[in-house]
Every structure is written in C-alpha cells, then in structure tokens.
Amino acid sequence: MTTRTVIQNEDVSIAVTDRGGDGPAVVLLHGLAGSSRELLPTADALTGSFRVLLVDQRGHGDSTRRPADLSRRAFVDDVVTVIEHLLLGQKVALVGQSMGAHTAFLTASARPDLVDRLVMLEGHVAGNDRAEGARELGAWFASWPTPFADVESARAFLGASPLAQAWIDGLECTHSGLRPRFDPDVMERTIAAVHEPRWTEWESLTVPTLAVFAEHGMFTTEQKDDLIRRRPGTRRTDIPRGSHDAHLDAFDAWVRILRDYLGQDHAAR
C-alpha cells in the first residue's frame, strides 16, 4: 500500500512516498529539477521484492521549494532523517540518478552504518568544471515561458522526449496555469554545489557500489574511467543506447541491471 509522508528536518519539509513491500529497504533519489514521480516506474519494478521509498529532495517536488540551505550536507541530512524516522535506522540500498546519485554517495560516505548498497545511475563525484555551467543551466530554466497555459503549450516548448514528458507530468496546476515544482535560482545554487569535486569522500567510501552509465550519457570516457580508477572496488555497468536519463529512455535495461544487483546483494547478506 502506498503512503505519503512529510518528514520535518528543522525548517524543511521532505515529502516521501512509501510504496510498501516486505523486503529489504530501497531509497530512490531523483536528479536535478526532477521529483520522485519520475522514479515511480522504477519503484513499481522493485516493490514485489523490496520496500521502496521515494524522496522529493529539498527544493523539488512536494518538499520545501525554497530552502535556505542548499549545501550538499543539507541534502545528505535530509536522507539520513528519512531513513532514521521511517526505517528505524535500518540499513538501506540507496539508489540515485544524476544529482540524486551524488546525494546518495555522499550519504553513504557520511553514514555507512545506514547504507548497505549504493547504486549511482549517471552520477559522478566531480561535476562540470566550467564555472559558468550552473549559471547557464539556471538561465535555461528561467527561460521557460511559465506558467504554461496547458499541457499542449508545455509540450510545444519542452518537446516530446521522455525527460520532457517527466517534466510535464510533474507540473503543478495553479490558478494561473501549469508551473514547474522548482525555481530556477534554486536549481542553479543546487547544481553549483554538486559541481564541486568530492574525491576525498569517494576514495574513502566503504559501501559496496555499482556505477551505471549510459552510452549517450553526459560523462566522457575519461571521466567514467577516472571514477573507477580512483576507487577500484567499484563495479561498473554500461547501458547501450541510453541517455543521461536512462531510467526514462532505457527503462528495461536499467531495471534489469538494478534488480540483478540488488537481488545478488540481498542473497549474499
């Protein structure tokens, strides 16, 4: 049975969807400018074997839209609070995509006592090394002609890609039209923090980790190889044909890899 819960972490409300299930706990973390909604199909593919929780990270979805603290530590503290409140501190498998993968790995590094396994889809510990990258992304989000009058208007601007559809599905209906559930300046500040390299935390990470990359993802061959070279115990799997949003456009391959990894690890415990 699905339940929706709001967890308070000081001055921030964190919305959590619990899909239920009797197996080991899995916590899913979405990427920048997304929400837990886009990971619902992934959750549904796991629910029969696992208890799956989906978190709207601060600044996203139904969680606090404009938190004062957008540091990486704040995002980690939110995940820890969710685990400690809803899962009574038991160890979980943390699964994240893009920014969510970054949050997940930092959580595993800070609190290995709470994390049994880590899966990073299209995630890395060193972000965009272009200083203007975060500003450009924020400017692009700010260019959206919101509010959109209707779904057709949103699709005309955003396009028909799986990612665009995820954004459209997540739009909030307001009296003035359809608006995204995030603010451009918050996204800019959030991704700027993600772009700061965190190699120390990565190299000291003790939690078993699977790094999943897509053939047409955002990272170069050198970046992917460097991630594994600097932590040789990390397992790596590549998804053919998928994009940075492989959980949307290479769903079957993504779920197969995820289920296999979580199932093998569960059997080994």
Side-chain angles (χ1 to χ4, degrees), residues 123-136:
H124 206 283
V125 306
N128 193 330
D129 57 4
R130 297 171 56 250
E132 64 273 22
R135 292 194 299 273
E136 290 172 354

Side-chain angles (χ1 to χ4, degrees), residues 31-35 37-38 60 137 140-141 144 148 154 158-159 161-172 178-182 187 245 248:
L32 185 81
S35 75
R37 179 189 298 267
E38 70 189 56
H60 298 75
L137 188 60
W140 183 70
F141 285 131
W144 291 17
F148 297 112
L158 295 171
S161 69
L163 177 58
Q165 188 59 52
W167 274 326
I168 292 168
D169 290 343
L171 292 172
E172 179 183 15
L178 300 175
R179 295 182 179 274
R181 295 178 187 269
F182 59 83
M187 298 300 98
D245 299 288
L248 300 174

